Amino acid sequence: MLKRLLLFGIFVASLSLQAQKEKLLKLPSFDKPLFHYGFYLGVNNNGYKVSYKPSDYNNAEIEVESSIGFNVGLIADLRLHNNINLRFEPGLMSNTKTLHFKHINDAENVKTREVGATYLHLPLILKLSTNRLNNMRPYVLGGFSYDHNFSSNERNSDDNFAGEFRTTTSNFMYEVGIGVDFYLSYFKFSPSIRGVFAINNEVKYDNKTPSQWTDPIDFLGTRGIFLHLAFE
């Protein structure tokens, strides 16, 4: 993922240099309407932050292995000011994590769980942009989202004793990011890099206790980074 982000940074830098040299303004009236719309595509590398609490299991350790997932969605943008926009970006965010329970030494119990997550991602984003420089415009953004996890298994009566690691269905997250608007001939291309962070605890504790899988967990929440490519 680091290599991909490095290549993305080089790509954005080259576009920035080209945009700064360009004197002819493209889409000069793009930012004047009160509303505009678009869509986005992206990839994510989301894992979990895990913190622990005292339990019957000393030296609990859960290693999180994440995989590359995807993001896709729509954009509705409301101009509040020349440099401030309020955006609603509903979409889907999906990936898979593998949890390795390194403190489990019992050969009869499985030490790994694969946790799939497909979120209906409903973020409300405040975007703060600089003044336009030729055909580019850097920005920062931040906001909060409600995320509905279709893969949570929260209502499943089976827990880890039956092979199911459960998470919560309803979640709240915040995200921050930086990016650049590039005004092209027919549309605006806006790549950004964002971080997403869960606010609530996403673990659904096992029905029985003691549980080697969930008893040691005090907090388990999504932490990740994603590349967001917007077309407006």
Side-chain angles (χ1 to χ4, degrees):
M1 188 65 179
L2 184 59
K3 292 181 179 178
R4 291 184 177 90
L5 292 177
L6 181 60
L7 291 173
F8 170 70
I10 295 172
F11 171 67
V12 169
S14 65
L15 283 179
S16 298
L17 289 173
Q18 182 178 353
Q20 290 182 52
K21 293 177 181 178
E22 181 64 63
K23 299 300 182 182
L24 178 63
L25 285 184
K26 298 177 180 178
L27 304 177
S29 302
F30 185 91
D31 296 319
K32 292 182 179 180
L34 186 62
F35 294 98
H36 75 264
Y37 304 93
F39 69 94
Y40 66 87
L41 305 170
V43 294
N44 68 68
N45 187 20
N46 292 344
Y48 285 128
K49 176 185 177 182
V50 184
S51 58
Y52 305 94
K53 63 183 179 181
S55 68
D56 293 337
Y57 306 99
N58 295 324
N59 301 316
E61 182 181 0
I62 302 172
E63 182 181 279
V64 182
E65 179 185 348
S66 60
S67 61
I68 301 298
F70 72 90
N71 299 12
V72 61
L74 302 174
I75 298 167
D77 185 287
L78 170 65
R79 180 174 57 83
L80 302 178
H81 181 270
N82 290 337
N83 302 94
I84 303 174
N85 295 70
L86 184 65
R87 297 163 70 88
F88 180 50
E89 301 182 351
L92 294 176
M93 179 170 64
S94 180
N95 80 340
T96 300
K97 279 85 72 176
T98 302
L99 306 183
H100 301 275
F101 298 86
K102 306 188 91 174
H103 57 278
I104 297 180
N105 298 315
D106 186 351
E108 295 182 359
N109 287 315
V110 176
K111 300 180 182 180
T112 63
R113 289 283 186 265
E114 189 172 277
V115 183
T118 299
Y119 295 98
L120 174 62
H121 186 54
L122 301 174
L124 195 61
I125 302 292
L126 195 64
K127 178 182 177 182
L128 306 177
S129 306
T130 67
N131 291 330
R132 180 169 172 170
L133 177 61
N134 294 329
N135 288 313
M136 61 172 290
R137 196 178 194 190
Y139 61 85
V140 297
L141 54 83
F144 295 90
S145 67
Y146 168 76
D147 293 76
H148 182 91
N149 187 356
F150 294 108
S151 310
S152 68
N153 288 321
E154 182 177 11
R155 296 185 180 181
N156 193 339
S157 59
D158 291 337
D159 58 12
N160 279 289
F161 292 95
E164 292 288 342
F165 188 92
R166 301 175 299 177
T167 54
T168 55
T169 301
S170 296
N171 303 283
F172 295 91
M173 302 185 190
Y174 69 92
E175 63 184 79
V176 293
I178 59 173
V180 182
D181 289 333
F182 293 102
Y183 297 83
L184 306 179
S185 297
Y186 300 104
F187 62 91
K188 184 173 74 173
F189 174 55
S190 301
S192 62
I193 297 177
R194 306 186 184 187
V196 62
F197 309 89
I199 297 173
N200 62 286
N201 188 4
E202 294 183 58
V203 68
K204 173 71 173 178
Y205 291 97
D206 288 337
N207 303 323
K208 296 189 294 183
T209 189
S211 166
Q212 302 178 85
W213 297 275
T214 61
D215 277 9
I217 299 175
D218 183 51
F219 177 86
L220 181 140
T222 297
R223 291 289 188 275
I225 186 170
F226 59 95
L227 173 62
H228 186 280
L229 304 176
F231 301 85
E232 305 172 38

